[in-house]
Amino acid sequence: MIEAYQAVGLVPTMRGVRNRDEIQTNLEHIEHLVKAASWLSSLDLPVRLIAIPEGALQGFNDEVLDIDHEDFARECAIHVPGPETDRLGALARQWDTYIIAQAKALHPEFPGRFFNVGLVIDPEGEIVLTHYKTVPLLPVEHSVTPHDVWDRWIELYGQTLDAFYPVADTAIGRIGILMANEASYPENARGLAMNGAEIIYRGPYPHPHVGNGLYAIQNQARALDNNCYLIACNVGTYYLSAESDIPIDTFGGHSMVVDYKGQIVGRHDYGGASSWVSGTIDIEALRRFRANAQWDNWIKDLKTEQYQLIYDKPIYPKNLYLDRKPYNHAEFRTEVIDKQIELMHERDIWVRPEK
């Protein structure tokens, strides 16, 4: 039986990077924050899981500054495994905990490209899960997704849940990763749940959507829909560069731990500083609920043949970046967004507004 434990979601200050060497400043800050969070959060139950939010290693400068994809890949994207993940592995060993983290990373099969990659590292410092983000923050995030290189991706990994929604079966439960905008689409959380996830990491979301409630609604809904725990840790203040002395809270806080019935069991509302959120994970209680509930263990009742009709026709274009680098912001608007909106009108899914 898995004993109940504390999960910690860090809320770090981050500095945008211009090269890989600058990542070390963010890693040093994370190490200090882990020490504080682990000590105080373990006063009730042992801390066995620490989540580091998306952006904490490199910031979001590739998106904010509309940096050319190939330039960022060459200067700032990391290798997995590599020196940065080795340092996180040492942190996992030091605190005898699982760590979930994220980085913009290279892939040997796609030269000159980078993906947004989520990682689970075990207490021995080994990477036990690698997740490639399936939906970037459209329209500004430049990272490539598996769908963008669909044909080659399924050649490499197959057309299976593990190829898109991998889950690590660990000593503290089955862990899956759902980064930022992935959680805007309920299908991504459902993919993890259908692959066995019991704990879902959810990456940060930007303000004003956080302050206006979207983040909390999505987090609680994804946990409730799939009877999973969900750890949502937003980043704290953001310095655009290593030298900047002007911190900006671009994310708005509202970090939380949500249980398998959609209830918030840990919360940290404020986002404008370095801190953390902590909550109790009870995997045995989740498993008993799934096994004994008659109604609200929803997945057992999925009418999959019927639901397939919803997705019968393709909408978003696959292989978008199979033969070219990702668009910049202006190009994405004309080449993708405008065409997708027109498609929805042409199919009479949406009604055109009056001019």
Side-chain angles (χ1 to χ4, degrees):
M1 186 177 77
I2 300 174
E3 300 283 349
Y5 60 88
Q6 290 293 98
V8 170
L10 300 186
V11 182
T13 296
M14 64 179 180
R15 294 182 179 271
V17 304
R18 293 161 298 189
N19 57 69
R20 291 182 192 89
D21 291 341
E22 292 182 342
I23 296 173
Q24 300 308 313
T25 299
N26 287 326
L27 283 169
E28 183 177 355
H29 170 61
I30 288 167
E31 289 168 347
H32 291 302
L33 192 53
V34 166
K35 182 176 183 179
S38 297
W39 175 56
L40 286 168
S41 298
S42 65
L43 294 178
D44 294 329
L45 290 169
V47 172
R48 301 195 66 192
L49 177 62
I50 297 173
I52 301 170
E54 183 178 348
L57 269 66
Q58 295 152 310
F60 295 96
N61 285 13
D62 60 309
E63 305 169 32
V64 174
L65 302 179
D66 200 11
I67 295 173
D68 178 81
H69 180 96
E70 291 178 338
D71 289 346
F72 189 88
R74 182 175 57 255
E75 301 294 334
C76 300
I78 69 170
H79 293 277
V80 176
E84 297 82 9
T85 61
D86 288 347
R87 194 163 174 179
L88 293 174
L91 201 57
R93 289 193 298 272
Q94 178 183 354
W95 294 98
D96 190 29
T97 185
Y98 286 83
I99 286 179
I100 306 175
Q102 170 277 344
K104 303 290 178 68
L106 304 167
H107 191 297
E109 293 291 336
F110 301 94
R113 304 287 179 264
F114 69 86
F115 292 76
N116 196 335
V117 180
L119 307 166
V120 177
I121 302 172
D122 71 13
E124 286 72 49
E126 299 296 322
I127 298 172
V128 296
L129 176 72
T130 304
H131 169 89
Y132 291 83
K133 190 174 184 180
T134 60
V135 186
L137 180 58
L138 307 172
V140 297
E141 185 179 342
H142 293 127
S143 55
V144 172
T145 74
H147 191 263
D148 293 328
V149 290
W150 177 268
D151 290 348
R152 181 63 179 139
W153 193 265
I154 62 175
E155 283 181 12
L156 293 169
Y157 300 109
Q159 196 168 342
T160 66
L161 284 177
D162 284 336
F164 300 93
Y165 304 109
V167 171
D169 193 353
T170 78
I172 61 168
R174 294 177 172 180
I175 302 173
I177 292 177
L178 190 69
M179 288 187 278
N181 199 40
E182 286 187 292
S184 298
Y185 306 85
E187 295 83 1
N188 294 318
R190 180 55 52 84
L192 293 170
M194 290 297 288
N195 208 16
E198 297 169 321
I199 305 161
I200 293 177
Y201 159 100
R202 199 276 164 97
Y205 215 60
H207 201 54
H209 297 82
V210 170
N212 291 336
L214 271 68
Y215 192 54
I217 290 169
Q218 289 176 354
N219 293 336
Q220 291 182 263
R222 303 301 170 256
L224 177 61
D225 288 347
N226 299 293
N227 302 134
C228 293
Y229 281 96
L230 186 143
I231 306 164
C233 45
N234 220 342
V235 285
T237 49
Y238 184 12
Y239 292 85
L240 201 59
S241 69
E243 297 82 18
S244 174
D245 60 357
I246 303 174
I248 301 174
D249 178 11
T250 56
F251 293 88
H254 292 275
S255 297
M256 62 186 67
V257 179
V258 186
D259 74 8
Y260 54 90
K261 299 195 77 174
Q263 302 301 305
I264 296 174
V265 296
R267 64 187 303 157
H268 190 291
D269 291 339
Y270 180 60
S274 299
S275 191
W276 64 90
V277 65
S278 181
T280 300
I281 303 290
D282 190 339
I283 294 296
E284 191 63 24
L286 177 154
R287 291 176 178 177
R288 286 197 300 268
F289 170 80
R290 286 180 170 181
N292 294 312
Q294 298 181 66
W295 173 44
D296 47 348
N297 49 356
W298 319 105
I299 293 182
K300 72 181 190 312
D301 304 320
L302 291 179
K303 298 175 174 62
T304 55
E305 300 86 355
Q306 174 182 317
Y307 300 148
Q308 288 173 16
L309 299 174
I310 300 170
Y311 304 111
D312 184 49
K313 293 180 180 179
I315 296 178
Y316 192 87
K318 66 181 180 181
N319 292 321
L320 196 59
Y321 302 130
L322 189 60
D323 300 313
R324 60 151 294 138
K325 67 180 180 181
Y327 295 117
N328 64 29
H329 295 172
E331 292 169 338
F332 190 86
R333 176 63 189 263
T334 58
E335 297 299 323
V336 182
I337 294 177
D338 291 347
K339 293 178 180 179
Q340 292 307 107
I341 291 173
E342 180 61 24
L343 175 68
M344 301 301 282
H345 288 147
E346 286 180 353
R347 290 188 183 176
D348 200 29
I349 298 170
W350 293 351
V351 178
R352 295 182 191 274
E354 294 184 8
K355 293 183 179 181

